[in-house]
Amino acid sequence: MKIGDRAQRNGVSRRLLRYYEEQGLLRPVRLPNGYREYGEPDVAAVRHIRAMLAAGLPTAVIARLLDCVHDDGDRIVPTAWPGMVSNLRR
DNA sequence: GTTCTAACA
DNA sequence: TGTTAGTA
């Protein structure tokens, strides 16, 4: 799925999707032609990112949080990670 | 026609 | 964030 379609389905601009990647919040696969390939996991990630940004969290924190969250389809659930609690506290 | 990077407003 | 330039 190309960035153009991704942008429309997520309701965000292509510029923003590239910006998120720049901040380390997204890791789309790079095609041989240089294009970004987005999958379903990225759709969920964008939802998480937007929610957290709206909550006022800095992108630096969000990048680490994305590694601790899993989307089972319609809700986000914390992934077992020993250091999560202390990290959130910090 | 679409996407890419970098950079400016 | 939008947009533009020059490419691939």
Side-chain angles (χ1 to χ4, degrees), chain A residues 41-61:
Chain A
D42 298 308
V43 183
V46 172
R47 285 206 303 272
H48 300 159
I49 294 167
R50 299 199 76 196
M52 293 191 268
L53 286 176
L57 292 174
T59 56
V61 172

PDB file of all heavy atoms in Angstrom, chain A residues 41-61:
ATOM      1  N   PRO A  41      -0.187  -2.994  10.312  1.00  0.00           N
ATOM      2  CA  PRO A  41       0.428  -2.596  11.576  1.00  0.00           C
ATOM      3  C   PRO A  41       0.676  -1.094  11.640  1.00  0.00           C
ATOM      4  O   PRO A  41       0.610  -0.475  12.696  1.00  0.00           O
ATOM      5  CB  PRO A  41       1.750  -3.384  11.594  1.00  0.00           C
ATOM      6  CG  PRO A  41       1.444  -4.577  10.749  1.00  0.00           C
ATOM      7  CD  PRO A  41       0.574  -4.058   9.654  1.00  0.00           C
ATOM      8  N   ASP A  42       0.974  -0.514  10.489  1.00  0.00           N
ATOM      9  CA  ASP A  42       1.227   0.920  10.441  1.00  0.00           C
ATOM     10  C   ASP A  42      -0.055   1.713  10.650  1.00  0.00           C
ATOM     11  O   ASP A  42      -0.043   2.813  11.183  1.00  0.00           O
ATOM     12  CB  ASP A  42       1.855   1.282   9.090  1.00  0.00           C
ATOM     13  CG  ASP A  42       3.201   0.594   8.897  1.00  0.00           C
ATOM     14  OD1 ASP A  42       4.047   0.712   9.787  1.00  0.00           O
ATOM     15  OD2 ASP A  42       3.380  -0.073   7.871  1.00  0.00           O
ATOM     16  N   VAL A  43      -1.172   1.132  10.203  1.00  0.00           N
ATOM     17  CA  VAL A  43      -2.462   1.816  10.376  1.00  0.00           C
ATOM     18  C   VAL A  43      -2.726   1.959  11.872  1.00  0.00           C
ATOM     19  O   VAL A  43      -3.108   3.025  12.347  1.00  0.00           O
ATOM     20  CB  VAL A  43      -3.612   0.996   9.756  1.00  0.00           C
ATOM     21  CG1 VAL A  43      -4.926   1.752   9.881  1.00  0.00           C
ATOM     22  CG2 VAL A  43      -3.302   0.693   8.307  1.00  0.00           C
ATOM     23  N   ALA A  44      -2.518   0.874  12.602  1.00  0.00           N
ATOM     24  CA  ALA A  44      -2.733   0.893  14.046  1.00  0.00           C
ATOM     25  C   ALA A  44      -1.762   1.864  14.701  1.00  0.00           C
ATOM     26  O   ALA A  44      -2.144   2.634  15.578  1.00  0.00           O
ATOM     27  CB  ALA A  44      -2.546  -0.515  14.597  1.00  0.00           C
ATOM     28  N   ALA A  45      -0.527   1.837  14.244  1.00  0.00           N
ATOM     29  CA  ALA A  45       0.495   2.707  14.822  1.00  0.00           C
ATOM     30  C   ALA A  45       0.096   4.171  14.698  1.00  0.00           C
ATOM     31  O   ALA A  45       0.223   4.940  15.651  1.00  0.00           O
ATOM     32  CB  ALA A  45       1.833   2.455  14.120  1.00  0.00           C
ATOM     33  N   VAL A  46      -0.415   4.555  13.533  1.00  0.00           N
ATOM     34  CA  VAL A  46      -0.821   5.944  13.333  1.00  0.00           C
ATOM     35  C   VAL A  46      -1.921   6.336  14.309  1.00  0.00           C
ATOM     36  O   VAL A  46      -1.918   7.440  14.844  1.00  0.00           O
ATOM     37  CB  VAL A  46      -1.311   6.171  11.882  1.00  0.00           C
ATOM     38  CG1 VAL A  46      -1.921   7.563  11.737  1.00  0.00           C
ATOM     39  CG2 VAL A  46      -0.142   6.012  10.920  1.00  0.00           C
ATOM     40  N   ARG A  47      -2.833   5.397  14.558  1.00  0.00           N
ATOM     41  CA  ARG A  47      -3.914   5.703  15.521  1.00  0.00           C
ATOM     42  C   ARG A  47      -3.320   5.951  16.896  1.00  0.00           C
ATOM     43  O   ARG A  47      -3.691   6.891  17.587  1.00  0.00           O
ATOM     44  CB  ARG A  47      -4.895   4.530  15.586  1.00  0.00           C
ATOM     45  CG  ARG A  47      -5.807   4.434  14.378  1.00  0.00           C
ATOM     46  CD  ARG A  47      -7.112   3.725  14.734  1.00  0.00           C
ATOM     47  NE  ARG A  47      -6.912   2.393  15.282  1.00  0.00           N
ATOM     48  CZ  ARG A  47      -6.819   1.282  14.527  1.00  0.00           C
ATOM     49  NH1 ARG A  47      -6.919   1.380  13.224  1.00  0.00           N
ATOM     50  NH2 ARG A  47      -6.645   0.111  15.087  1.00  0.00           N
ATOM     51  N   HIS A  48      -2.375   5.100  17.293  1.00  0.00           N
ATOM     52  CA  HIS A  48      -1.743   5.248  18.598  1.00  0.00           C
ATOM     53  C   HIS A  48      -0.993   6.570  18.685  1.00  0.00           C
ATOM     54  O   HIS A  48      -1.109   7.302  19.656  1.00  0.00           O
ATOM     55  CB  HIS A  48      -0.767   4.091  18.822  1.00  0.00           C
ATOM     56  CG  HIS A  48      -1.412   2.749  18.780  1.00  0.00           C
ATOM     57  ND1 HIS A  48      -0.704   1.584  18.531  1.00  0.00           N
ATOM     58  CD2 HIS A  48      -2.715   2.378  18.950  1.00  0.00           C
ATOM     59  CE1 HIS A  48      -1.551   0.567  18.568  1.00  0.00           C
ATOM     60  NE2 HIS A  48      -2.760   1.006  18.804  1.00  0.00           N
ATOM     61  N   ILE A  49      -0.231   6.823  17.649  1.00  0.00           N
ATOM     62  CA  ILE A  49       0.572   8.046  17.622  1.00  0.00           C
ATOM     63  C   ILE A  49      -0.284   9.290  17.765  1.00  0.00           C
ATOM     64  O   ILE A  49      -0.006  10.159  18.577  1.00  0.00           O
ATOM     65  CB  ILE A  49       1.369   8.127  16.297  1.00  0.00           C
ATOM     66  CG1 ILE A  49       2.407   7.002  16.262  1.00  0.00           C
ATOM     67  CG2 ILE A  49       2.052   9.473  16.186  1.00  0.00           C
ATOM     68  CD1 ILE A  49       3.032   6.799  14.893  1.00  0.00           C
ATOM     69  N   ARG A  50      -1.361   9.349  16.968  1.00  0.00           N
ATOM     70  CA  ARG A  50      -2.218  10.530  17.018  1.00  0.00           C
ATOM     71  C   ARG A  50      -2.837  10.703  18.393  1.00  0.00           C
ATOM     72  O   ARG A  50      -2.962  11.802  18.911  1.00  0.00           O
ATOM     73  CB  ARG A  50      -3.302  10.426  15.945  1.00  0.00           C
ATOM     74  CG  ARG A  50      -2.733  10.353  14.525  1.00  0.00           C
ATOM     75  CD  ARG A  50      -3.774  10.701  13.492  1.00  0.00           C
ATOM     76  NE  ARG A  50      -4.016  12.137  13.439  1.00  0.00           N
ATOM     77  CZ  ARG A  50      -5.089  12.669  12.843  1.00  0.00           C
ATOM     78  NH1 ARG A  50      -5.978  11.907  12.288  1.00  0.00           N
ATOM     79  NH2 ARG A  50      -5.246  13.970  12.824  1.00  0.00           N
ATOM     80  N   ALA A  51      -3.228   9.587  19.006  1.00  0.00           N
ATOM     81  CA  ALA A  51      -3.865   9.650  20.322  1.00  0.00           C
ATOM     82  C   ALA A  51      -2.880  10.185  21.361  1.00  0.00           C
ATOM     83  O   ALA A  51      -3.223  11.027  22.180  1.00  0.00           O
ATOM     84  CB  ALA A  51      -4.345   8.261  20.714  1.00  0.00           C
ATOM     85  N   MET A  52      -1.656   9.686  21.295  1.00  0.00           N
ATOM     86  CA  MET A  52      -0.665  10.120  22.270  1.00  0.00           C
ATOM     87  C   MET A  52      -0.209  11.551  22.056  1.00  0.00           C
ATOM     88  O   MET A  52       0.020  12.290  23.004  1.00  0.00           O
ATOM     89  CB  MET A  52       0.528   9.168  22.243  1.00  0.00           C
ATOM     90  CG  MET A  52       0.148   7.785  22.752  1.00  0.00           C
ATOM     91  SD  MET A  52       1.572   6.724  23.049  1.00  0.00           S
ATOM     92  CE  MET A  52       1.684   5.910  21.476  1.00  0.00           C
ATOM     93  N   LEU A  53      -0.088  11.958  20.811  1.00  0.00           N
ATOM     94  CA  LEU A  53       0.311  13.333  20.530  1.00  0.00           C
ATOM     95  C   LEU A  53      -0.767  14.252  21.068  1.00  0.00           C
ATOM     96  O   LEU A  53      -0.489  15.301  21.645  1.00  0.00           O
ATOM     97  CB  LEU A  53       0.474  13.547  19.015  1.00  0.00           C
ATOM     98  CG  LEU A  53       1.720  12.934  18.375  1.00  0.00           C
ATOM     99  CD1 LEU A  53       1.673  13.148  16.873  1.00  0.00           C
ATOM    100  CD2 LEU A  53       2.964  13.575  18.955  1.00  0.00           C
ATOM    101  N   ALA A  54      -2.024  13.830  20.893  1.00  0.00           N
ATOM    102  CA  ALA A  54      -3.151  14.633  21.369  1.00  0.00           C
ATOM    103  C   ALA A  54      -3.106  14.726  22.890  1.00  0.00           C
ATOM    104  O   ALA A  54      -3.587  15.688  23.482  1.00  0.00           O
ATOM    105  CB  ALA A  54      -4.461  13.993  20.906  1.00  0.00           C
ATOM    106  N   ALA A  55      -2.518  13.720  23.513  1.00  0.00           N
ATOM    107  CA  ALA A  55      -2.425  13.698  24.973  1.00  0.00           C
ATOM    108  C   ALA A  55      -1.252  14.558  25.443  1.00  0.00           C
ATOM    109  O   ALA A  55      -1.036  14.726  26.638  1.00  0.00           O
ATOM    110  CB  ALA A  55      -2.262  12.259  25.448  1.00  0.00           C
ATOM    111  N   GLY A  56      -0.503  15.073  24.491  1.00  0.00           N
ATOM    112  CA  GLY A  56       0.597  15.947  24.846  1.00  0.00           C
ATOM    113  C   GLY A  56       1.933  15.280  25.052  1.00  0.00           C
ATOM    114  O   GLY A  56       2.863  15.902  25.556  1.00  0.00           O
ATOM    115  N   LEU A  57       2.051  14.005  24.658  1.00  0.00           N
ATOM    116  CA  LEU A  57       3.324  13.302  24.825  1.00  0.00           C
ATOM    117  C   LEU A  57       4.296  13.677  23.712  1.00  0.00           C
ATOM    118  O   LEU A  57       3.895  13.832  22.571  1.00  0.00           O
ATOM    119  CB  LEU A  57       3.093  11.791  24.786  1.00  0.00           C
ATOM    120  CG  LEU A  57       2.314  11.200  25.958  1.00  0.00           C
ATOM    121  CD1 LEU A  57       2.055   9.727  25.688  1.00  0.00           C
ATOM    122  CD2 LEU A  57       3.077  11.386  27.248  1.00  0.00           C
ATOM    123  N   PRO A  58       5.572  13.817  24.036  1.00  0.00           N
ATOM    124  CA  PRO A  58       6.588  14.145  23.037  1.00  0.00           C
ATOM    125  C   PRO A  58       6.861  12.909  22.174  1.00  0.00           C
ATOM    126  O   PRO A  58       6.759  11.779  22.654  1.00  0.00           O
ATOM    127  CB  PRO A  58       7.814  14.512  23.872  1.00  0.00           C
ATOM    128  CG  PRO A  58       7.630  13.742  25.140  1.00  0.00           C
ATOM    129  CD  PRO A  58       6.147  13.761  25.397  1.00  0.00           C
ATOM    130  N   THR A  59       7.196  13.127  20.918  1.00  0.00           N
ATOM    131  CA  THR A  59       7.428  12.014  19.994  1.00  0.00           C
ATOM    132  C   THR A  59       8.510  11.075  20.504  1.00  0.00           C
ATOM    133  O   THR A  59       8.466   9.883  20.264  1.00  0.00           O
ATOM    134  CB  THR A  59       7.842  12.539  18.608  1.00  0.00           C
ATOM    135  OG1 THR A  59       8.977  13.358  18.740  1.00  0.00           O
ATOM    136  CG2 THR A  59       6.708  13.286  17.943  1.00  0.00           C
ATOM    137  N   ALA A  60       9.474  11.604  21.240  1.00  0.00           N
ATOM    138  CA  ALA A  60      10.569  10.780  21.753  1.00  0.00           C
ATOM    139  C   ALA A  60      10.027   9.695  22.673  1.00  0.00           C
ATOM    140  O   ALA A  60      10.510   8.568  22.677  1.00  0.00           O
ATOM    141  CB  ALA A  60      11.564  11.663  22.496  1.00  0.00           C
ATOM    142  N   VAL A  61       9.006  10.050  23.462  1.00  0.00           N
ATOM    143  CA  VAL A  61       8.406   9.095  24.396  1.00  0.00           C
ATOM    144  C   VAL A  61       7.525   8.120  23.638  1.00  0.00           C
ATOM    145  O   VAL A  61       7.532   6.917  23.894  1.00  0.00           O
ATOM    146  CB  VAL A  61       7.544   9.829  25.450  1.00  0.00           C
ATOM    147  CG1 VAL A  61       6.780   8.815  26.291  1.00  0.00           C
ATOM    148  CG2 VAL A  61       8.431  10.693  26.327  1.00  0.00           C
TER     149      VAL A  61
END
